[in-house]
Amino acid sequence: MKLTDLFPLNHIRQGIACASKKRAFELIGEILCNEFTDETASETDTQAQENPCTECLFAREKIGNSALGGGVAMPKGRVEVGDKPLGAILQLNQGIDYDADDNREVDLIFSLIIPASLCEDCSALLPKLIALFSDKAFIKQIRAATSAEEIFAVLQTQDNALDEPQTASQTEPQNEPQSAPQGE
């Protein structure tokens, strides 16, 4: 799955002022709530219940801290509705206390919400995302971005790099014997 599919432009916030992990989860819930609503619930039921995205992030965070280190966190959660995984990116203008193992404040949050029916299908995706979000060069580009559009462009570049077909010289070693020069 492409990063730009997981994190569409309208789910990216740059330069956000946020005072706590709780508020960050609430912001993520606000960004994603319309994507993961139970269409069978009445409007009053929907207004009365908590945001399912925010709830699932808090529930999952109780199991274990989602900080990856280096000022980056990847909170994730599972909801009962939805037909595709979606995420949100928050680039904070100032780091927040996140109880990270490295004691560093978090200023980049890559959140992912996965419908329960797709959790098994997405199990291979999570380690790849964790590796990418731990890559210092990638994170440096995200931190340097000054708009949501620039962050999205970094995601597009990463998607394009993953889509480029490898040439035979990149995938197969060149073990062909070279012919000796022939005399006249």
Side-chain angles (χ1 to χ4, degrees):
M1 180 166 240
K2 292 182 178 249
L3 291 171
T4 51
D5 292 337
L6 287 173
F7 303 102
L9 179 57
N10 64 331
H11 292 185
I12 300 171
R13 303 293 185 272
Q14 185 276 333
I16 296 295
C18 185
S20 66
K21 183 192 311 188
K22 177 181 187 265
R23 182 62 188 135
F25 286 4
E26 291 169 349
L27 285 170
I28 292 164
E30 291 169 14
I31 293 167
L32 297 174
C33 70
N34 291 332
E35 306 286 348
F36 296 102
T37 56
D38 183 354
E39 294 179 8
T40 62
S42 70
E43 189 174 321
T44 53
D45 290 341
T46 304
Q47 291 171 349
Q49 67 181 343
E50 293 281 328
N51 184 317
C53 297
T54 303
E55 283 182 20
C56 76
L57 293 174
F58 281 120
R60 175 57 185 84
E61 196 72 11
K62 288 179 184 175
I63 295 170
N65 191 296
S66 58
L68 301 178
V72 179
M74 189 177 123
K76 52 203 163 297
R78 176 177 59 189
V79 292
E80 295 303 317
V81 297
D83 58 357
K84 62 183 177 182
L86 280 173
I89 298 174
L90 300 180
Q91 181 206 57
L92 307 179
N93 63 4
Q94 189 172 7
I96 57 172
D97 181 20
Y98 209 91
D99 299 320
D101 287 343
D102 65 357
N103 295 318
R104 185 166 170 187
E105 290 186 336
V106 166
D107 65 337
L108 287 177
I109 301 174
F110 299 89
S111 183
L112 189 63
I113 304 294
I114 302 171
S117 62
L118 298 176
C119 283
E120 191 174 315
D121 297 340
C122 293
S123 62
L125 175 65
L126 294 177
K128 292 176 184 176
L129 290 175
I130 290 169
L132 178 63
F133 300 153
S134 299
D135 179 87
K136 290 179 181 180
F138 176 79
I139 293 303
K140 185 177 181 179
Q141 291 178 324
I142 297 292
R143 280 198 174 107
T146 59
S147 68
E149 291 79 12
E150 285 183 24
I151 293 172
F152 191 74
V154 172
L155 300 179
Q156 287 176 314
T157 300
Q158 186 68 32
D159 282 344
N160 292 339
L162 295 173
D163 283 345
E164 289 177 5
Q166 293 185 344
T167 63
S169 64
Q170 292 173 313
T171 58
E172 298 175 12
Q174 298 294 322
N175 292 335
E176 295 176 21
Q178 294 189 4
S179 58
Q182 296 180 354
E184 292 184 40

